[in-house]
């Protein structure tokens, strides 16, 4: 080899955690665009810039990759909602902050939200259970929050209220998908106007 010849630069290997995160982000986009059934591991691998066998090495299957996407979104949603209510001086303010964090997450993470919204196409897969676990996470988080402000002995009342909040907010999030003019701040106030009256009475028992 001549002194001036250069050997090809070896591509730096990406750390496993970083590569996994990259795969999840790309898969989330493809699942959102194509739908779970039509999405292919070939396309995901091509967009990531890895081989299809590497995807299977990390996630075992297409369903395993989908589960990883939902689990990642669930972790992030819990983090943002928990952080939002820290230091809230009243139950009303805690609810407002938590709702705003949820609607902001839905607006900023549309692809992740679409995986949850299209759950009917996932019935019969483990992903359906993961979606319900995400709901359960939010319901439990709200119930725990309420217990800190309301009469904690009214377990059923608090649980029912938490279920109602989560169900109602899901529908509002779907409504907002096609309304760019409805900002997270606006929909938060709509939700507060509808929800707080009943919750305030619960707090006053």
């Amino acid at each position: 080899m001549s002194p001036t010849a250069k050997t090809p630069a070896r591509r730096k290997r990406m750390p496993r955690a970083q590569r996994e995160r990259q795969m999840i982000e790309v898969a989330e986009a493809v699942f959102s665009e194509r739908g779970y059934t039509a999405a292919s591991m070939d396309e995901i691998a091509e967009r990531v810039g890895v081989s299809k066998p590497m995807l299977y090495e990390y996630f075992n299957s297409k369903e395993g990759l989908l589960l990883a996407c939902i689990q990642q979104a669930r972790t992030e949603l819990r983090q943002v909602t928990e952080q939002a209510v820290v230091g809230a001086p009243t139950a009303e303010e805690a609810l407002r902050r938590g709702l705003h964090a949820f609607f902001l997450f839905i607006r900023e993470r549309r692809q992740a939200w679409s995986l949850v919204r299209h759950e009917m196409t996932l019935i019969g897969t483990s992903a359906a259970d993961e979606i319900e676990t995400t709901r359960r996470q939010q319901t439990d988080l709200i119930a725990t929050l309420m217990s800190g402000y309301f009469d904690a002995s009214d377990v059923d009342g608090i649980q029912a209220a938490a279920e109602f909040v989560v169900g109602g907010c899901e529908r509002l999030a779907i409504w907002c998908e096609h309304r760019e003019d409805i900002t997270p701040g606006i929909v938060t106030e709509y939700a507060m106007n509808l929800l707080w009256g009943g919750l305030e009475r619960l707090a006053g028992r």
Side-chain angles (χ1 to χ4, degrees):
M1 181 182 293
S2 69
T4 57
K6 295 182 179 179
T7 57
R10 295 182 64 184
R11 188 170 59 181
K12 188 175 180 181
R13 186 165 184 169
M14 185 180 292
R16 183 180 178 89
Q18 187 178 347
R19 176 67 76 189
E20 183 174 309
R21 175 69 181 177
Q22 180 190 35
M23 291 174 175
I24 289 172
E25 288 177 353
V26 171
E28 186 180 279
V30 175
F31 287 139
S32 176
E33 293 166 15
R34 310 283 189 213
Y36 172 68
T37 302
S40 74
M41 294 291 268
D42 289 297
E43 181 178 2
I44 294 169
E46 182 178 353
R47 288 201 197 183
V48 176
V50 299
S51 65
K52 187 164 71 168
M54 182 177 283
L55 282 182
Y56 284 100
E57 178 186 337
Y58 275 64
F59 302 103
N60 297 317
S61 65
K62 185 169 80 166
E63 186 173 330
L65 181 52
L66 176 64
L67 294 180
C69 291
I70 296 172
Q71 289 163 358
Q72 178 64 36
R74 182 169 68 238
T75 297
E76 293 177 7
L77 177 58
R78 183 176 184 88
Q79 288 173 346
V80 298
T81 50
E82 282 185 329
Q83 291 169 5
V85 302
V86 171
T90 64
E92 182 178 7
E93 182 60 21
L95 180 64
R96 178 176 282 106
R97 292 184 187 182
L99 290 174
H100 186 265
F102 169 76
F103 289 118
L104 186 61
F105 179 87
I106 294 304
R107 175 61 62 92
E108 293 180 345
R109 294 293 312 280
R110 293 174 192 246
Q111 293 175 339
W113 165 242
S114 75
L115 297 181
V116 177
R117 185 172 66 80
H118 293 108
E119 65 178 303
M120 291 304 293
T121 64
L122 304 174
I123 289 176
T125 72
S126 299
D129 294 333
E130 287 294 330
I131 291 171
E132 183 55 32
T133 299
T134 301
R135 272 196 201 97
R136 181 85 273 130
Q137 167 190 281
Q138 293 306 107
T139 302
D140 291 345
L141 182 62
I142 292 170
T144 300
L145 175 65
M146 289 180 179
S147 297
Y149 292 99
F150 302 158
D151 179 6
S153 65
D154 187 3
V155 177
D156 288 342
I158 289 175
Q159 192 65 43
E163 295 282 355
F164 190 82
V165 170
V166 170
C169 287
E170 276 192 25
R171 292 304 307 171
L172 280 174
I174 292 172
W175 175 66
C176 288
E177 281 188 63
H178 306 293
R179 293 291 304 272
E180 289 293 330
D181 57 318
I182 304 296
T183 66
I186 291 173
V187 72
T188 294
E189 290 308 310
Y190 285 155
M192 286 296 297
N193 292 339
L194 292 167
L195 296 170
W196 180 245
L199 293 176
E200 189 176 25
R201 285 193 292 275
L202 179 64
R205 288 181 187 173

